[in-house]
Amino acid sequence: MNVAVLGLGAMGTALADALLAAGHRVTVWNRTAARADGLVGRGARRAGSVAEAVAEGDVVIVCILDYADVGVLLEEQAGGGEALRGRVVVNVTNGSPEEARAMAKRVAGLGGAYLDGGIMAVPEMIGRPEAFVLYSGSRAAFATYQGVLDAFARSVYLGEDPGAAPLNDLALLSGMYGMFGGFAHAAALVRSAGGPVEEFTTGLLVPWLRAMCGALPAMAAEIDSGDYGATGSNLAMQVSHDSIGAVSHAQGVSDELFAPVFALMRRRVAGGHGDEGFAGVVEELLRAP
Ligand code: NDP
């Protein structure tokens, strides 16, 4: 396949290398031209302009820093008119669902089909089995080019709405930051008592979090059904003492990460849901002012 890659930062370079390794004919362009040198040495073709790269690619991968600049590249530098006619733009630049929907319309205006992508990996993971990439947008384009996209990671198609990939990408990152936040508080508690954080993490925290991950599908089913009655650990019991807050203060550790979660749990109990489990706090979040 002829694939063009626009944007050769850490991620764009990893994507282009994966395409080369899969045997595709790869044309690369980067605003700072010298950043393409390594890839050219490894077999990529250098394009002198965005228009030249786009002309060479049946699939055009765009991987730069923000959507506004993607619009400039495609509308002002790709050759104008119907420069994208017959081509598929796969934009893996991070953005919002609204930006993705607007970009799909702009690409259609230039004659092309559009897929938005959310890369669930760091550059070093590209081409490795634990990585996956979310796609949404043109079903036909995904069906035609999945074989090419599979060079990056496991490809997951989320439907025709171009906004689905960025929404799910951000939801996954929010889950990750929640876990990182929990880790930070746990590590601060252990450190405040002089304990070795590494030993605590590998010996206790990781096995505990793995076990707790097992509870998430049942909680998700409660959220989908709106029936929060099927719990073993009720919320009233969980908020009866703010032990985590109290011990944190006693240890000189800020509870600023945990306090908002505890406040939500208390609000849920105050609303008459003390006999239900944790999953119901999602109802409080859905009522955001
Ligand atoms: P880098 O900072 O390594 O590279 C940024 C790239 O964007 C460079 O090629 C840069 O060109 C280009 N660029 C910036 N502004 C413009 C512009 N106005 N016109 C043309 N090109 C421009 O970032 P990454 O490669 O890490 O990230 C790229 C995208 O991938 C981002 O949207 C990021 O969110 C996403 N991503 C990154 C992950 C990661 O772990 N790195 C993980 C998942 C997604 P130049 O060399 O000329 O400066």
Side-chain angles (χ1 to χ4, degrees):
M1 286 283 181
N2 297 314
V3 189
V5 180
L6 309 180
L8 303 173
M11 186 54 86
T13 299
L15 299 179
D17 270 322
L19 291 165
L20 284 172
H24 298 293
R25 185 169 167 276
V26 181
T27 304
V28 293
W29 175 88
N30 194 60
R31 179 180 60 180
T32 307
R35 242 173 150 172
D37 292 352
L39 278 160
V40 170
R42 295 190 289 279
R45 298 159 58 96
R46 188 194 304 272
S49 65
V50 173
E52 201 181 311
V54 166
E56 292 291 324
D58 300 315
V59 185
V60 179
I61 312 288
V62 188
C63 185
I64 62 173
L65 282 186
D66 73 53
Y67 263 70
D69 296 331
V70 175
V72 172
L73 287 193
L74 297 178
E75 283 175 341
E76 296 177 19
Q77 297 180 38
E82 295 219 317
L84 300 177
R85 171 67 56 203
R87 295 183 159 73
V88 173
V89 171
V90 181
N91 181 24
V92 294
T93 303
N94 268 11
S96 72
E98 271 317 307
E99 285 176 315
R101 290 178 193 121
M103 192 60 68
K105 288 200 180 103
R106 292 165 79 174
V107 167
L110 295 164
Y114 185 78
L115 281 170
D116 205 274
I119 301 175
M120 305 317 299
V122 294
E124 301 73 40
M125 285 163 66
I126 294 300
R128 301 224 316 247
E130 65 270 30
F132 61 99
V133 182
L134 309 174
Y135 296 100
S136 56
S138 167
R139 187 178 298 277
F142 182 76
T144 306
Y145 291 112
Q146 182 183 355
V148 174
L149 302 174
D150 282 348
F152 302 148
R154 180 165 62 88
S155 305
V156 181
Y157 179 69
L158 296 173
E160 297 265 4
D161 171 10
L167 185 97
N168 282 271
D169 181 339
L170 294 172
L172 290 169
L173 290 179
S174 117
M176 178 192 78
Y177 281 117
M179 184 181 73
F180 284 176
F183 165 70
H185 189 131
L189 271 178
V190 169
R191 198 82 199 97
S192 74
V197 175
E198 192 175 349
E199 191 182 315
F200 164 78
T201 301
T202 52
L204 298 174
L205 184 63
V206 170
W208 170 242
L209 290 180
R210 280 213 180 98
M212 285 297 97
C213 276
L216 297 183
M219 290 166 73
E222 289 186 357
I223 294 163
D224 283 340
S225 70
D227 176 3
Y228 296 103
T231 179
S233 305
N234 69 63
L235 267 184
M237 174 278 290
Q238 293 186 56
V239 303
S240 59
H241 304 286
D242 183 7
S243 309
I244 296 176
V247 170
S248 298
H249 289 143
Q251 292 289 123
V253 169
S254 166
D255 71 342
E256 65 196 294
L257 284 167
F258 176 70
V261 180
F262 198 67
L264 273 175
M265 293 159 71
R266 277 198 161 141
R267 200 160 87 207
R268 188 75 181 149
V269 172
H273 301 278
D275 57 340
E276 299 173 358
F278 183 87
V281 300
V282 79
E283 298 291 341
E284 303 300 317
L285 296 178
L286 286 166
R287 277 197 286 271

